[in-house]
Amino acid sequence: MDFTATHGLRWRDPGVERVPAPADLARWFIEAGLTAMPVPVSASTHRSALDLREALYRLMRGRVSQEPLDRRAIDVVNGWAAKAPPAVQLTADGSAKRLVAPTAGKLLTFVARDGVDLLGGPHADRLGECSRDTCTLLYLDTSRAGSRRWCSMEACGSRHKMARYRRRDAV
Ligand SMILES: [Zn+2]
């Protein structure tokens, strides 16, 4: 789901691409905590990654709006999820986990498998889309009441609140 957020403002055409180049995807892998060490990303893996991202987005968005799921998107996600993820091992002192020779392609299997776990798991009904008109980010509502409305309180929730205060001032 975090990966789908690298394409923002989808209502605009085009939206905002936050990983426009292979190097940006390499950075995202680290920011997302998928790997601690940088991995090289080829142009073709970058293209495939964006294809996977859009497939995940279509499926998650489809769940939110309860539309029939896109078969091609399912095939794309399943194709990645079926590939082997990087091997893992303990560090020499046994205190931490390390990926063995991670590659960009192998890291994408993590993303796809997470997507399968989410969409095919018990929390899929907790997917939502931010209520702010101009935001298209998805969230997973982990609140007990299931009352979440914003992608993040800091970004969209507080802006909504501020707008409400301003309106109140104007009255
Ligand atoms: Zn938002």
Side-chain angles (χ1 to χ4, degrees):
M1 207 189 61
D2 289 348
F3 193 33
T4 67
T6 60
H7 183 178
L9 303 180
R10 287 168 183 270
W11 53 274
R12 273 193 209 160
D13 194 20
V16 176
E17 178 54 75
R18 299 199 167 92
V19 286
D24 302 309
L25 181 61
R27 245 191 321 274
W28 183 83
F29 282 139
I30 293 173
E31 280 167 19
L34 292 176
T35 176
M37 58 179 121
V39 295
V41 178
S42 70
S44 80
T45 302
H46 176 248
R47 267 195 308 276
S48 309
L50 299 192
D51 195 36
L52 169 63
R53 180 189 67 187
E54 294 311 299
L56 286 166
Y57 177 78
R58 276 197 298 281
L59 296 177
M60 291 176 190
R61 183 68 183 70
R63 277 305 289 255
V64 172
S65 55
Q66 301 189 342
E67 286 158 16
L69 299 187
D70 181 330
R71 287 304 305 266
R72 187 193 161 265
I74 291 176
D75 289 345
V76 170
V77 172
N78 282 347
W80 279 102
K83 294 180 188 183
V88 291
Q89 63 178 201
L90 284 172
T91 52
D93 66 357
S95 66
K97 185 176 93 171
R98 187 166 58 194
L99 302 180
V100 181
T103 63
K106 287 187 171 184
L107 293 179
L108 289 174
T109 65
F110 285 146
V111 177
R113 285 165 183 232
D114 272 1
V116 170
D117 283 344
L118 176 56
L119 286 157
H123 302 302
D125 294 337
R126 289 289 191 129
L127 280 164
E129 186 181 46
C130 184
S131 294
R132 190 170 155 229
D133 289 347
T134 52
C135 181
T136 50
L137 298 187
L138 302 174
Y139 59 78
L140 187 65
D141 188 351
T142 52
S143 70
R144 190 176 291 240
S147 54
R148 183 166 168 182
R149 295 176 58 200
W150 317 107
C151 61
S152 84
M153 203 53 215
E154 300 78 53
C156 292
S158 60
R159 283 200 210 191
H160 173 79
K161 246 197 208 156
M162 269 188 316
R164 220 171 46 187
Y165 286 137
R166 258 185 249 122
R167 275 201 300 277
R168 204 180 291 160
D169 285 346
V171 174

